[in-house]
Amino acid sequence: MWTPSLLIGDDDRCLRETLNEVFRPRGFRTFLAADGEEALAILDSQEVHVALLDLHMPKLSGLEAIRLVRQRQLFMPCILVSASFDEGILSQARVLQLVRFLPKPFSMEEVIQAVLKALEENYGEIFLHFWPKRPQN
């Protein structure tokens, strides 16, 4: 059976752990990163199906990490989260083929739906066939 994997990159430890506690019981394999460099190290060593990255992280921002991910020819869906998006950031993110933007603060339902939608849009039949009993909430 297919197990979706999620990279959670955010410098807020409490948020990372909360998201981990939300997604693990829903059948996800989760990887946690406190900064963009840790996120890249995880992507170099693990299969990740979707990345949820904060825009403002130390060492490498979420946007910089995604740029390096794309340079490595990794095209998994990425969701960028931030308390503020300006047109420059949105424009750069579109070039990098981000799946979506998620403004902070977000509800757990919003982040769950964003991740599930990214998986369904990008993996379609694989996602629906191998993970048909995914929890809705």
Side-chain angles (χ1 to χ4, degrees):
M1 188 153 131
W2 188 66
T3 301
S5 58
L6 171 66
L7 169 61
I8 301 166
D10 199 299
D11 58 333
D12 180 339
R13 190 178 120 225
C14 184
L15 180 59
R16 279 194 319 270
E17 291 176 1
T18 299
L19 290 171
N20 185 48
E21 291 172 13
V22 166
F23 282 97
R24 276 194 169 271
R26 286 172 170 76
F28 281 79
R29 198 166 46 113
T30 56
F31 303 100
L32 307 181
D35 59 57
E37 286 183 1
E38 281 185 29
L40 288 176
I42 290 167
L43 291 169
D44 284 341
S45 64
Q46 302 293 328
E47 181 180 18
V48 174
H49 297 111
V50 63
L52 179 70
L53 300 172
D54 185 25
L55 175 61
H56 300 289
M57 292 189 290
K59 299 184 184 174
L60 286 173
S61 72
L63 203 54
E64 292 167 328
I66 293 167
R67 183 173 290 113
L68 292 170
V69 164
R70 297 301 189 235
Q71 288 174 0
R72 293 174 182 183
Q73 302 298 309
L74 299 173
F75 292 100
M76 93 283 292
C78 297
I79 301 167
L80 191 64
V81 299
S82 178
S84 62
F85 290 110
D86 63 33
E87 191 51 47
I89 291 168
L90 295 173
S91 177
Q92 291 177 56
R94 284 186 201 101
V95 169
L96 295 171
Q97 300 173 348
L98 281 170
V99 172
R100 58 186 26 83
F101 310 96
L102 192 58
K104 286 181 175 179
F106 49 77
S107 70
M108 288 304 121
E109 182 59 28
E110 287 172 318
V111 73
I112 291 166
Q113 291 307 314
V115 168
L116 292 177
K117 185 121 176 104
L119 284 167
E120 189 169 350
E121 287 173 356
N122 286 271
Y123 300 101
E125 291 300 316
I126 294 171
F127 176 67
L128 295 172
H129 179 73
F130 289 103
W131 206 47
K133 295 181 181 176
R134 64 192 183 280
Q136 296 300 311
N137 290 324

